[in-house]
Structure formats: C-alpha cells, structure tokens
Amino acid sequence: MEMKNDTLNESKIKEFLKNNIIVTSFDAIVRWARSNSLWPLSSGLACCAIEMMAAGASRFDLARFGYEVFRPSPRQADIIIVAGTLTWKMAPAMKRLYEQMPEPKWVIAMGGCACTGGPFKDSYSVVPGVDKILPVDVYVPGCPPRPDALIDGLLQLKAKIQNPDIARKKE
Amino acid sequence: MSENLFAKLTEHQLSDLAGLGCQLDGEGACLLTVPAERLLAVMKMLRDDVASSMNYLGDITAVDRGEAGFEIIYQLFSVTRGVKATVKVKVPKDKPEVPSVVSLWPGADWMEREAYDLMGVTFAGHPELKRILLDEDFAGHPLRKDFRMQPRE
C-alpha cells in the first residue's frame, strides 16, 4: 500500500489494518484441527462394520480425511461409529464405552439398525435406534451404507464441528 | 452316513427302553418319546450303552405346541458308531419342566439356558439356570406363542 508522502491519519491506519490482518478466534482454529483428525472407536456390532472396515481400507481410504486412526480404547477416541444392530443386552456396554470417551465426543449412527432399528424395529431384543441411549450427531442410513455414504457422514460431522451454529437448537 | 439306532440294538435293549416308557419310532429319523420323569434314566442308557454310546449331544430345542404344551427335543449322535437318534419329551403348558442333562453331557449347559431363556422351559438340576441371550431385565420368553411385545423405555 502506497503510504509515503501521505500523513498517517487515523482513518488510513484503520484501512491499512483492515486489509492486512486476519482476525480469528482460538475456537475456530481448534475446531478446524478437531474436525480434520477424528479418531473413531472400533465399535462394529454387525455387518455394517464390514463396510466401516472397507471405508478404512485402501480403496476408499478414510485416511485422506484424517479419520483412519481406529482406536481400540474409548479413552483415545473422538467419535463412536455405531456400526450395526444394537441389542438391549449390548446397550449398557455401548453406553459405558461412550461415557468412557473424553470430551468432546460425537456419535455417528451407521446403517438402518443403528438409525431406527431397521428391519428389527419391532423385535423384542433390538434397540429401535441408538438415539434411545446415545446423543446421535449424524445418521447414515443404508443396509448397509456403502463406504462412500459413511465418508459423507463423516464429512457432514466435519461441517457440524466447524460450524456449531448450524447444529444449535432453535430457541 | 448315519444308520438307524434301533437296528443296532438287541431285542433286550429295545425292551429295556420300552420298559422305561419310551415310544420307539424307527421310521425315518430314529425317534424316542420319553416321559419327563424317565428322561435321565433313558439318556444315561443311551449314552453308556455299548450298542448306542450316544456320546455327543448335538442340540436341545423346544417347540411350543400351544394348549398341548411344550416339546423338548434332544439330538443325539454317536461319534464312535455313526448312529443318531432324536429324543422327545412332552411337558404340560402350565409346568414346563424337565430334568437337566448337564450331568451326562456338560455341553448341555448353554443349550438348556437358551431353551430356558427363549421358551421358558425350566431344567431341574441345572447348575446355573439364567438367561443367556437376552438381558437380565427382560420380562417373558419371546419364542412362546402367547408372547406379546412389551414397550420398552
């Protein structure tokens, strides 16, 4: 910016700062970092887990987005992908795994069974949707969903993490 | 593959089984229908008898026949002799109880627990008869014909 032979008056200083300094918040940077390296918990319950594994393998390559580090321990995980049919017998264990994860944490319901109970909705043993016991962030329908669908679900979660306002409930 | 058990038994053994109250049906599958109170004696004979030596218990299942009560069905097989047999016990609807065969075949443990869990048949003498597939809080036995879904929380 040409500034020589010119008096530095206040309005010009303001104009100069406006065009050359980016102001951001610490929150935004943290959100950006979090949303680009989500560590999922290896929580396969049924056939959807096979598609989840396929999403992590070379053909679909979840690592492109930074989500490939499937953790065997809930202490190290950021998201829990409920991949498959959740029965009432398994529900307490799943809930405990979720409670053991450190904040912040997110839940993806993968497949028809996890979303609503699927074909087993009226069964005596199946939880009709994991949102009965866990706060679900993203629903990925399908029976089972293809790896593409799971990746899309993770990217939806990424958008949700980066823009928490869009997910906020209306007052 | 597997031969008919009855063809391998002597007349004496067959009359022993009949004396224990068994109805023998050798057509097709080799089927014995046994009264519940004689089950253990018959099973012990089938397992230990040299002619049959039913040393493998394949499966225990239960059938709900409505008003006619329950049928508990045991699939037996002799690994040494290559014969198989089916043992059936009929119990009334209001008191579905049979003696446990865990003392004869330890593998019967989980099979009996499953039949208890899903069909509500009790096995007297079972070391730990509790639910195996469903959660502990579950009310009722879902494979019974008169089972109706209860709404859950």
Side-chain angles (χ1 to χ4, degrees):
Chain A
M1 197 179 222
E2 283 294 319
M3 293 190 71
K4 58 184 179 181
N5 303 330
D6 211 346
T7 49
L8 279 174
N9 61 46
E10 200 167 321
S11 65
K12 286 205 168 164
I13 291 176
K14 273 189 179 168
E15 188 64 26
F16 177 77
L17 291 177
K18 191 177 163 188
N19 291 334
N20 288 278
I21 294 178
I22 298 166
V23 179
T24 182
S25 67
F26 187 67
D27 268 1
I29 290 182
V30 168
R31 286 201 294 263
W32 173 80
R34 275 176 182 160
S35 65
N36 281 295
S37 99
L38 295 168
W39 289 12
L41 180 69
S42 315
S43 52
L45 293 173
C47 32
C48 280
I50 305 297
E51 299 299 306
M52 183 169 73
M53 290 175 229
S58 54
R59 186 182 179 94
F60 294 95
D61 197 13
L62 207 52
R64 286 177 292 162
F65 308 100
Y67 306 151
E68 82 286 6
V69 199
F70 279 89
R71 305 314 294 178
S73 163
R75 311 264 183 221
Q76 303 166 350
D78 301 309
I79 59 171
I80 182 166
I81 302 174
V82 185
T85 318
L86 183 66
T87 58
W88 283 110
K89 182 146 182 167
M90 186 66 187
M94 211 64 186
K95 197 169 180 181
R96 170 167 288 191
L97 282 173
Y98 175 75
E99 283 163 357
Q100 284 176 336
M101 285 162 58
E103 293 275 2
K105 52 193 171 186
W106 296 275
V107 179
I108 289 182
M110 181 184 181
C113 297
C115 290
T116 65
F120 312 110
K121 185 176 171 57
D122 295 325
S123 155
Y124 54 85
S125 56
V126 173
V127 180
V130 290
D131 49 7
K132 290 272 185 289
I133 61 160
L134 298 179
V136 176
D137 292 286
V138 176
Y139 295 86
V140 182
C143 190
R146 282 180 55 84
D148 326 39
L150 178 63
I151 289 171
D152 183 58
L154 281 157
L155 294 178
Q156 297 287 335
L157 182 63
K158 177 182 180 178
K160 189 172 175 176
I161 294 168
Q162 288 187 346
N163 309 289
D165 294 343
I166 61 169
R168 194 163 292 154
K169 253 186 185 173
K170 277 186 180 171
E171 295 297 331
Chain B
M1 293 280 281
S2 57
E3 298 173 53
N4 192 320
L5 165 67
F6 296 151
K8 298 218 166 198
L9 296 178
T10 62
E11 284 295 318
H12 185 64
Q13 289 164 329
L14 285 172
S15 66
D16 273 359
L17 281 173
L20 283 166
C22 298
Q23 296 171 33
L24 307 183
D25 179 9
E27 296 294 319
C30 172
L31 177 69
L32 296 86
T33 307
V34 186
E37 63 272 14
R38 298 285 174 77
L39 179 70
L40 269 184
V42 172
M43 289 300 218
K44 193 161 172 50
M45 183 183 165
L46 286 173
R47 189 192 67 165
D48 298 336
D49 195 296
V50 273
S52 54
S53 59
M54 293 293 181
N55 49 8
Y56 178 69
L57 173 67
D59 201 2
I60 300 176
T61 48
V63 183
D64 186 354
R65 295 288 183 198
E67 291 306 313
F70 295 92
E71 288 172 3
I72 296 97
I73 300 160
Y74 301 80
Q75 308 292 347
L76 300 177
F77 186 70
S78 172
V79 178
T80 48
R81 299 182 65 88
V83 293
K84 64 180 178 182
T86 303
V87 178
K88 193 184 271 189
V89 185
K90 292 178 178 171
V91 290
K93 183 183 166 74
D94 52 336
K95 192 173 180 292
E97 183 172 298
V98 288
S100 169
V101 294
V102 175
S103 56
L104 299 176
W105 295 278
D109 187 339
W110 283 15
M111 301 175 191
E112 290 183 348
R113 278 178 65 186
E114 186 184 355
Y116 163 74
D117 189 2
L118 300 177
M119 202 60 105
V121 178
T122 52
F123 293 86
H126 190 281
E128 194 187 17
L129 194 63
K130 59 174 190 178
R131 292 193 182 276
I132 185 170
L133 294 172
L134 297 169
D135 51 304
E136 297 285 321
D137 304 333
F138 195 86
H141 303 284
L143 293 194
R144 285 191 175 191
K145 297 286 183 202
D146 56 4
F147 177 81
R148 291 291 169 267
M149 280 288 291
Q150 303 293 321
R152 303 184 75 144
E153 81 275 18

